[in-house]
Every structure is written in structure tokens, then in C-alpha cells.
């Protein structure tokens, strides 16, 4: 493996591919990274095994568009086949897929992510907007109703599945009606995490030359409104998880504070779960180490972050003294 880890944490990314074949109007990635090129399954499995031997417990699969994985290898279902193989690697307790393109998220892939043991039922879907006219100008596909149907199909298989997305506010041509449609989607989608971005021209993109530019003042007003709404909705979604059982991978133990992430929380972007001592026995909080996988009950929330009481050890990190 021509790779060197810069830390010893229990989580590591695994790059599925490079480049992108899509031509979204706001994105310059294809211009400087080229066409989508998948790594072979054998190469990915070999790297996963190497990572596991270094202490990695969770693999985060990354690329510009993970749903395209395998198309250039002649197998559009390659990711669905790869997921159970990665989850079976000794030492790996969780596999997480990121950067899914909604238009390419097939029912078979939804099922694989939602139901494969060891794969987080987590859907990082790149919606960007939900109004059809805006999506068409972005050279993307979908609508509020189609996106809600996609989320519903995932939750039908895994009711507690996590979902996150990013959105662009103020894209050229965006109207008040488009913003209202996005508000409708956000309100009904029950997303766990929302990234809101205000549009600005980027050199080398089609969008930079589009007409119908929204004024900076209007973009700021819409961005502030939707960011506030997103924070409120994500906090409500976290509260929906009160009393539920979550599987928490411990990331850090510092000064008696044990912090990790449930299956719906990706590293760094989706909040975290803090484990607190149970009132009557149970798991010894002081004995927990990074890499432990714990079943816990959610007892509180702080914005998107959860507070949970550990119930039982699912899988202890290898080599940790107890």
C-alpha cells in the first residue's frame, strides 16, 4: 500500500474513485480532475484489510460521486457487491458510503446500504435544491416529491436510517417560489444534517455565465432564513431519536469525556454522541477506548448532538487493555 496514515484514530477514508462524468453547472471538478475512474474491488479490499490492521474500525467510502462506482469497470452494481465484502473485513465494524447522487441511487443500492450488516444505514445524498426549474438550470434531475420518495424508500427498509444533504441558495434564476419549494422539502424530509451554502460564481463553470443572477442582498436574506430553518429542523430530528437505541463507535476518550458517533453521524460533519455514565451499573465508562462499538440509549440532545447511556459492548477495540 502506497499510503501512510497521519493519525491512529478508529476511522479512515477509503477512496473509491477519482474524477466525475457529470456536468453540474455550478461545479468545476470535471475540468481539473477529469473523467470518473474507479479503483478495482481487489485494490479496495486490499487497502481495507491494511487499514484494519492499523486499528481502523470504520471505513468511510469517498469519491466525487460514489453512485458511479463500477460503471467504467462494466458493472453498475459494483458498489452493491463491494459493500458486504468490505463489511466482512476482519476488524471493520462499520462501512459508511458518502457522496451519493440522487439521480443514480438505484433501489438495489438503497437496499444494500439500508440492510447489509456492518454497513451504516446512512444516506449522504447530494440534493443541492428541490425545485425542478432550479435543478434543471443546475443540469441536475429530481424534484421535492421524487426526493421524498427516495428517502421514504430508505426508511421503509431502515426506519432509523440517517440522511444528510447540501443545498445551494441563490442559484441564478432562483425565484421566491423556488425557495418556498425548498422550504417544503426541508420541512418534510427530516434530514439529520443539512449543509447550506450561498451561491457565488466560480471561474470555469457554466453557472458563472448564466443570466438571472440573484442579488447579493437577496442571497444573504434567503441564506440566513434557510440556515436558521435547517438548524431548527435538524435539532428536531435529533430530538426524534430520544429513547432510541443507537450503535456508537467511540472516537475519543479525553479527561473522562467519551465521545463517538452513531450510525447516522459521519465524521466531522453530522454531530456526535457523548456517552454518559449509567445510573445503575451497565458498561463501565472509564473502561471505554477509541474503537469500541457500544449499544446505547439516547437520553438527551444538544442541537444535532446526542447524549446517550451505554447499555452493552457490541465489539471491543482489539488490543485495548481493560
Amino acid at each position: 500500500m502506497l499510503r501512510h496514515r497521519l493519525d491512529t484514530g478508529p476511522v479512515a477514508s477509503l477512496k473509491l474513485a477519482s474524477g466525475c462524468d457529470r456536468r453540474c453547472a455550478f461545479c468545476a471538478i470535471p475540468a481539473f480532475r477529469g473523467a470518473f475512474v474507479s479503483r478495482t474491488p481487489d485494490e479496495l479490499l486490499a487497502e481495507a484489510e491494511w487499514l484494519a490492521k492499523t486499528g481502523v474500525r470504520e471505513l468511510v467510502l469517498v469519491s466525487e460521486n460514489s453512485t458511479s462506482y463500477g460503471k467504467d469497470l462494466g458493472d453498475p452494481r459494483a458498489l452493491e457487491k463491494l459493500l458486504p465484502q468490505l463489511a466482512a473485513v476482519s476488524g471493520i465494524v462499520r462501512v459508511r458510503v458518502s457522496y451519493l447522487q440522487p439521480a443514480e441511487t438505484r433501489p438495489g443500492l438503497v437496499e444494500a446500504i439500508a440492510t447489509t450488516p456492518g454497513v451504516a444505514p446512512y444516506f449522504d445524498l447530494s440534493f443541492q435544491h428541490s425545485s425542478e426549474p432550479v435543478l434543471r438550470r443546475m443540469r441536475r434531475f429530481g424534484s421535492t416529491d421524487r426526493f421524498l420518495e427516495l428517502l421514504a424508500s430508505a426508511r421503509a427498509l431502515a426506519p432509523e436510517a440517517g440522511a444528510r444533504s447540501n443545498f445551494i441558495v441563490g442559484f441564478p434564476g432562483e425565484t421566491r417560489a423556488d425557495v418556498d419549494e425548498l422550504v417544503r422539502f426541508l420541512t418534510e424530509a427530516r434530514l439529520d444534517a443539512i449543509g447550506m451554502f450561498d451561491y457565488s460564481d466560480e471561474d470555469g463553470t457554466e453557472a458563472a455565465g448564466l443570466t438571472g443572477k440573484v442579488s447579493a442582498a437577496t442571497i444573504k436574506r434567503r441564506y440566513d432564513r434557510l440556515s436558521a430553518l435547517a438548524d431548527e429542523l435538524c435539532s428536531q430530528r435529533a430530538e426524534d431519536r430520544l429513547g432510541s437505541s443507537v450503535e456508537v463507535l467511540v472516537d475519543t476518550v479525553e479527561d473522562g469525556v467519551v465521545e463517538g458517533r452513531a450510525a447516522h453521524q459521519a465524521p466531522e460533519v453530522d454531530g456526535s454522541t457523548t456517552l454518559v455514565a449509567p445510573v445503575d451499573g451497565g458498561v463501565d465508562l472509564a473502561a471505554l477506548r477509541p474503537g469500541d462499538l457500544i449499544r446505547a440509549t439516547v437520553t438527551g440532545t444538544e442541537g444535532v448532538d446526542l447524549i446517550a447511556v451505554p447499555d452493552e459492548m457490541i465489539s471491543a477495540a482489539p488490543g485495548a487493555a481493560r
Side-chain angles (χ1 to χ4, degrees), residues 93-138:
V93 296
R94 180 185 288 165
V95 177
R96 182 185 305 278
V97 186
S98 59
Y99 307 123
L100 301 173
Q101 167 61 242
E104 297 180 19
T105 305
R106 306 165 300 280
L109 181 57
V110 171
E111 182 177 1
I113 294 173
T115 65
T116 301
V119 175
Y122 171 82
F123 293 84
D124 176 12
L125 292 155
S126 177
F127 290 127
Q128 302 300 344
H129 212 286
S130 72
S131 170
E132 282 191 86
V134 175
L135 288 167
R136 284 197 298 270
R137 287 175 70 86
M138 289 179 168

Side-chain angles (χ1 to χ4, degrees), residues 2 45 49 53 72 98 107 113 165 193 206 218 234 244 252 274:
L2 300 178
L45 287 167
E49 291 170 357
K53 290 176 182 177
D72 53 322
S98 59
I113 294 173
S165 191
E206 179 184 353
T218 299
C234 290
S244 67
T252 60
T274 299

